[in-house]
Amino acid sequence: RPSPKKHRMVLGEMEVTYAVVRRAKRRSIGLQVDHGGLTVAIPPWVTLGAVEQAIRDQWPWIENKLRQWKNHPVLPPPQFHDGESLPWLGGWRTLRFVSVQMSLLPEPGEVIEVDPRLGAARHLVQDWYRAQALPILLSRVRIFAERMGVPLPRVRLSDARGRWGSCNEKGEIRLNWRLVKASMAEIDYVVAHEMAHLRHFNHGREFWALVAEIYPEHETASQLLNRNDPLYRQF
């Protein structure tokens, strides 16, 4: 894909650089902050003036995210060697290489078993995480749907490098499979955040009030997720 076009705007005494991506199927303005900076996804008909207004409206959230990413260290990925410890639900599991015959046995609770003869260990480990992710994340979404008194939304896994979750205009929620490296408190924060978007498609005062209502511990969990973010994004 071609790199999105960069734009600049002045906000107070600060010059803000952002990229714009036009997507035919989008119906609203979406803001994303990651290691590459601020990206704005928009429908084809949205003007740059509307984009800049959205940036002004959401600037406290954007500025906070930019600061977090600037301060994030970049950790090297694991080597995926037999016996290596890998993050799992706020703790650690040990990577073990096994034969095809052994892999048919019930998996011990503290081990991630892969057979390196079936492919690169990195890919096998990622496949293992993805296989565990959807049932775990879906169970948390179900809990928050009950708290909000709404039907269970459609949930899909995401492989996004820059965000932990998203909610689109259709009420579908995407959650990053890497979240299963995090503790349940951190997972619940992301789930509560995206569930609140079912009612408020922004980060305004009413949105955060709803997040606090359905998950009162959201601030502590959010801070924990920000600290651990580099670890969870290693692979």
Side-chain angles (χ1 to χ4, degrees):
R1 289 182 184 175
S3 299
K5 185 178 180 180
K6 296 285 186 177
H7 299 268
R8 289 178 173 81
M9 63 178 289
V10 177
L11 198 58
E13 298 181 355
M14 181 182 297
E15 184 178 77
V16 181
T17 301
Y18 62 95
V20 172
V21 179
R22 294 186 182 271
R23 293 176 178 158
K25 294 184 179 181
R26 264 206 90 84
R27 294 294 178 267
S28 63
I29 297 175
L31 305 173
Q32 176 179 331
V33 179
D34 57 22
H35 58 85
L38 172 60
T39 300
V40 187
I42 60 175
W45 61 83
V46 170
T47 66
L48 287 181
V51 170
E52 292 189 356
Q53 186 58 53
I55 293 174
R56 292 188 189 95
D57 292 342
Q58 300 294 328
W59 180 244
W61 177 84
I62 295 170
E63 186 178 31
N64 183 50
K65 288 296 182 182
L66 288 172
R67 187 184 305 112
Q68 291 173 7
W69 275 100
K70 183 178 180 180
N71 295 331
H72 276 173
V74 178
L75 299 180
Q79 298 300 306
F80 299 100
H81 292 158
D82 182 57
E84 189 170 10
S85 295
L86 299 175
W88 171 253
L89 291 180
W92 300 89
R93 279 200 175 191
T94 303
L95 177 61
R96 288 299 183 195
F97 292 170
V98 298
S99 68
V100 175
Q101 291 77 16
M102 288 180 63
S103 67
L104 297 177
L105 298 174
E107 181 181 282
E110 302 301 322
V111 175
I112 297 174
E113 294 181 347
V114 300
D115 186 346
R117 295 177 299 177
L118 301 179
R122 175 190 178 95
H123 297 152
L124 295 173
V125 168
Q126 290 179 336
D127 288 345
W128 184 91
Y129 273 89
R130 289 189 182 96
Q132 317 303 313
L134 189 56
I136 293 173
L137 298 176
L138 186 58
S139 70
R140 307 314 294 177
V141 172
R142 183 175 288 109
I143 289 173
F144 283 95
E146 292 175 355
R147 290 183 187 180
M148 292 175 61
V150 298
L152 183 68
R154 185 174 186 180
V155 180
R156 293 183 176 183
L157 292 182
S158 163
D159 191 38
R161 298 297 299 189
R163 63 196 311 177
W164 291 116
S166 64
C167 176
N168 63 25
E169 299 87 342
K170 298 179 181 178
E172 298 173 338
I173 288 178
R174 290 181 179 269
L175 296 170
N176 199 308
W177 62 266
R178 296 175 180 85
L179 275 173
V180 290
K181 302 175 188 178
S183 66
M184 203 59 70
E186 296 164 280
I187 292 173
D188 282 353
Y189 163 68
V190 176
V191 172
H193 185 114
E194 301 310 330
M195 290 294 292
H197 278 313
L198 294 175
R199 291 184 179 170
H200 304 289
F201 215 66
N202 55 50
H203 291 98
R205 187 174 301 176
E206 292 180 341
F207 167 81
W208 287 112
L210 178 56
V211 173
E213 178 184 338
I214 62 176
Y215 190 44
E217 302 84 4
H218 70 98
E219 291 185 355
T220 301
S222 175
Q223 293 170 3
L224 183 61
L225 181 61
N226 289 333
R227 287 199 300 270
N228 292 328
D229 186 286
L231 171 65
Y232 302 153
R233 294 189 194 274
Q234 280 184 296
F235 68 93

